[in-house]
Amino acid sequence: MTRKRRSQHWYGKLDKDGFIHRSWMKNQGFPDHVFDGRPIIGICNTWSELTPCNSGLRDLAEGVKRGVWEAGGFPVEFPVMSLGETQMKPTAMLFRNLLAMDVEESIRAYGIDGVVLLGGCDKTTPGQLMGAASVDLPTIVVSSGPMLNGKYRGKDIGSGTDVWKFSEAVRAGEMTLQDFMNAESGMSRSKGVCMTMGTASTMASLVEAMGMSLPTNAALPAVDARRMALAHMTGKRIVEMVDEDLKPSDILTKAAFENAILANAAVGGSTNAVVHLLALAGRVGVDLTLQDFEIGSDIPLLVNCMPSGKYLMEDFCYAGGMPVVLSELKSHLRPARTVLNKDISAHYEGAECFNRDVIHAFDDPVKPAAGLRVLRGNLAPNGAIVKPSAATDSLLETEGEAFVFDSIEDLKANIDRDDLPVTPETILVLKGCGPKGYPGMPEVGNMPIPAKLVKQGVRDMIRISDARMSGTAFGTVILHVSPEAQAGGPLALVKTGDSIRVSASKGELELLVDEQELAARRAAWRPDDPHYTRGYAKLYIDHVLQADRGADLDFLVGKDTRLVTRESH
């Protein structure tokens, strides 16, 4: 017996309610027969001119529609909130959970049987996946794809990564302001996401490693005709997934998350993957903790892309992309189901590498044991993370004196002072930039090197905060300290002059101050007044979880797959 499709509870009813649902859809020129019980596929689109990374998604939606029609489905495109990482203040991360709410409630409220998620820019991919996972209809992802390589004076330049480098060169007097401005247009030459292995390309890579997209989704450039073909094939595949009733809960298992962690290490992926994977796991009921990320700590860096290497995503694509990486990891990958309704091994079957300087072999890596490291100690009881592949090795095992900035305003007002009492051995500490404190946990953890040190040639030093950093950034930056300062975590108690010990190899982050002194500081501590007292931002501050739990809102964890039965009229 053929099961009744979900959409038929909207469009298959021969009564007043069915009349209303069908009639108003027909004003777009849809004929009777598209409501005959065929799969109705929602295309969840984060296109926006204020999200440059996603500006090509209108075109890709047309490709998806072609595939849906070919497979006998009925495609319907709908918009959701779009999060422009480079455009939004105070940070796009503040709105990731709002996007997830938008996606979840849109999918739940409309008469669709499956959904194609069109995202790309950093927070859109995890936000869409979180929302879709909480409804658990058949779901597949098409990413917007990376920009073409940036170009400046005959050389490749990378999104974000070279912004940080050029900015420091200007501060050091090694690059003129005019040259800095001239590089601006050459960095972003086409539609698409950052062409470095930033958060957007990282999440696209992990989506592929988790089996939530078709193979090659991660690296095909946004303007490559093969991405449009991929969109077409994705539209065709989602109709088949509806017939198979293949849902996110069937794919996003603990094994799939572990594969994502392994892949993140191999590609030199963004530290932001941690909070996004933790939040997504919370939606599907997978018991994923910060400690699980340690399984990637011994995985070598295989992909020689910025910020951990020298190439860019266009080069990664032409070298073979994620199928090659997964093939190199095959002895470590867990068996896991994918959108193809096959094991993950089908995603790398026949993979071939065309440039071993871009994608290294497992036994000849760019860097050994390069996965993210989890640090704990009395400064971060619930954990913090560091990215060794983008750090200075000699700084990963050290002890030094702290210089504390109590807020982002404090940092910006003082970082360029000539009399700032810091040395290359100083550990910079920034407070008030966690989920509640900023709010939204912005990408300011890679603090600028103090101007006086930049002029001396210093380009890296230990920086510790409750913030995040851009996936395009680099340096010995300890992030996501949990609990955050605004929540009363030990970070709030650090004072300038305190000694801090860091050991990445031992997973330690210790504030070397005796307990009696810390108790006295805690008794005197008071949280800062919140920056927002109304609207969504207040809701966020009141309900956001800490970084070690993915910074989701507490009432959004889990899912609700019930069919809505009450009608509007």
Side-chain angles (χ1 to χ4, degrees), residues 96-102 104-105 108 127 130-131 133-135 279-280 282-284 536 539-540 543 545 551-560:
R96 182 200 65 181
N97 301 335
L98 184 58
L99 168 60
M101 293 172 71
D102 187 354
E104 176 179 346
E105 300 307 336
R108 178 176 292 115
M130 289 160 63
S134 288
V135 189
L280 180 58
R283 297 301 186 98
V284 295
Y536 168 74
L539 180 75
Y540 179 95
H543 291 279
L545 300 170
D552 200 358
L553 302 186
D554 53 17
F555 60 85
L556 292 177
V557 175
K559 58 187 175 183
D560 182 354

Side-chain angles (χ1 to χ4, degrees), residues 396-564:
L396 291 170
E397 309 289 330
T398 194
E399 184 176 315
E401 286 191 0
F403 187 89
V404 177
F405 298 101
D406 288 318
S407 68
I408 190 65
E409 290 78 16
D410 183 16
L411 182 144
K412 289 186 174 182
N414 292 289
I415 195 69
D416 287 336
R417 279 173 38 203
D418 289 335
D419 62 345
L420 198 70
V422 294
T423 71
E425 290 74 37
T426 300
I427 296 176
L428 301 183
V429 175
L430 176 61
K431 304 178 184 180
C433 296
K436 293 179 181 291
Y438 201 76
M441 203 180 174
E443 296 182 341
V444 297
N446 55 317
M447 295 168 250
I449 303 299
K452 62 181 286 185
L453 299 181
V454 170
K455 293 170 184 175
Q456 297 172 21
V458 177
R459 291 295 181 270
D460 194 15
M461 56 196 302
I462 298 179
R463 289 155 279 179
I464 300 174
S465 73
D466 45 13
R468 299 177 300 113
M469 77 172 177
S470 168
T472 68
F474 53 90
T476 312
V477 185
I478 296 171
L479 304 153
H480 307 191
V481 172
S482 183
E484 65 175 295
Q486 181 68 3
L491 185 68
L493 309 180
V494 182
K495 291 186 176 181
T496 294
D498 288 348
S499 291
I500 295 175
R501 182 172 65 241
V502 176
S503 175
S505 64
K506 297 178 181 178
E508 293 179 353
L509 182 59
E510 294 286 344
L511 176 60
L512 305 179
V513 176
D514 67 67
E515 286 301 322
Q516 186 175 357
E517 171 63 18
L518 290 177
R521 293 182 189 180
R522 182 168 297 284
W525 176 81
R526 297 291 181 273
D528 294 335
D529 292 336
H531 290 275
Y532 298 89
T533 57
R534 62 168 300 282
Y536 168 74
K538 174 174 169 46
L539 180 75
Y540 179 95
I541 291 167
D542 290 345
H543 291 279
V544 69
L545 300 170
Q546 289 295 288
D548 64 294
R549 297 182 62 189
D552 200 358
L553 302 186
D554 53 17
F555 60 85
L556 292 177
V557 175
K559 58 187 175 183
D560 182 354
T561 62
R562 294 175 297 170
L563 179 70
V564 179

Side-chain angles (χ1 to χ4, degrees), residues 195-235:
M195 83 299 286
T196 49
M197 188 59 77
T199 302
S201 289
T202 294
M203 293 310 299
S205 298
L206 302 194
V207 162
E208 189 171 331
M210 287 191 289
M212 283 298 297
S213 73
L214 294 182
T216 74
N217 172 70
L220 286 170
V223 295
D224 193 312
R226 291 172 294 176
R227 183 161 291 280
M228 180 63 88
L230 181 77
H232 185 126
M233 297 307 294
T234 299

Side-chain angles (χ1 to χ4, degrees), residues 255-286:
F257 282 96
E258 290 176 341
N259 287 343
I261 292 169
L262 296 171
N264 193 55
V267 301
S270 170
T271 52
N272 292 312
V274 177
V275 288
H276 298 324
L277 291 177
L278 288 169
L280 180 58
R283 297 301 186 98
V284 295
V286 168

Side-chain angles (χ1 to χ4, degrees), residues 335-352:
R337 200 173 177 187
T338 74
V339 292
L340 294 175
N341 212 0
K342 300 176 181 178
D343 182 68
I344 188 63
S345 57
H347 266 52
Y348 59 80
E349 185 177 359
E352 184 178 355

Side-chain angles (χ1 to χ4, degrees), residues 182 304 307:
N182 289 344
N304 190 11

Side-chain angles (χ1 to χ4, degrees), residues 272-411:
N272 292 312
V274 177
V275 288
H276 298 324
L277 291 177
L278 288 169
L280 180 58
R283 297 301 186 98
V284 295
V286 168
D287 182 20
L288 190 73
T289 69
L290 202 56
Q291 208 58 42
D292 287 311
F293 286 81
E294 286 289 341
I295 68 168
S297 61
D298 292 329
I299 296 296
L301 176 66
L302 303 182
V303 177
N304 190 11
C305 277
M306 297 182 192
S308 297
K310 65 180 181 179
Y311 292 102
L312 297 167
M313 289 298 294
E314 192 179 346
D315 307 304
F316 179 47
C317 172
Y318 304 152
M322 280 305 293
V324 175
V325 175
L326 295 176
S327 179
E328 291 295 335
L329 291 173
K330 61 187 175 185
S331 63
H332 293 78
L333 293 176
R334 282 67 166 151
R337 200 173 177 187
T338 74
V339 292
L340 294 175
N341 212 0
K342 300 176 181 178
D343 182 68
I344 188 63
S345 57
H347 266 52
Y348 59 80
E349 185 177 359
E352 184 178 355
C353 184
F354 303 106
N355 189 334
R356 278 299 180 192
D357 196 36
V358 178
I359 307 175
H360 286 227
F362 193 90
D363 57 2
D364 183 27
V366 180
K367 193 172 185 178
L372 302 179
R373 298 296 171 91
V374 178
L375 309 180
R376 296 184 189 274
N378 69 343
L379 186 51
N382 295 343
I385 58 172
V386 67
K387 182 178 179 179
S389 67
T392 302
D393 290 341
S394 61
L395 293 177
L396 291 170
E397 309 289 330
T398 194
E399 184 176 315
E401 286 191 0
F403 187 89
V404 177
F405 298 101
D406 288 318
S407 68
I408 190 65
E409 290 78 16
D410 183 16
L411 182 144

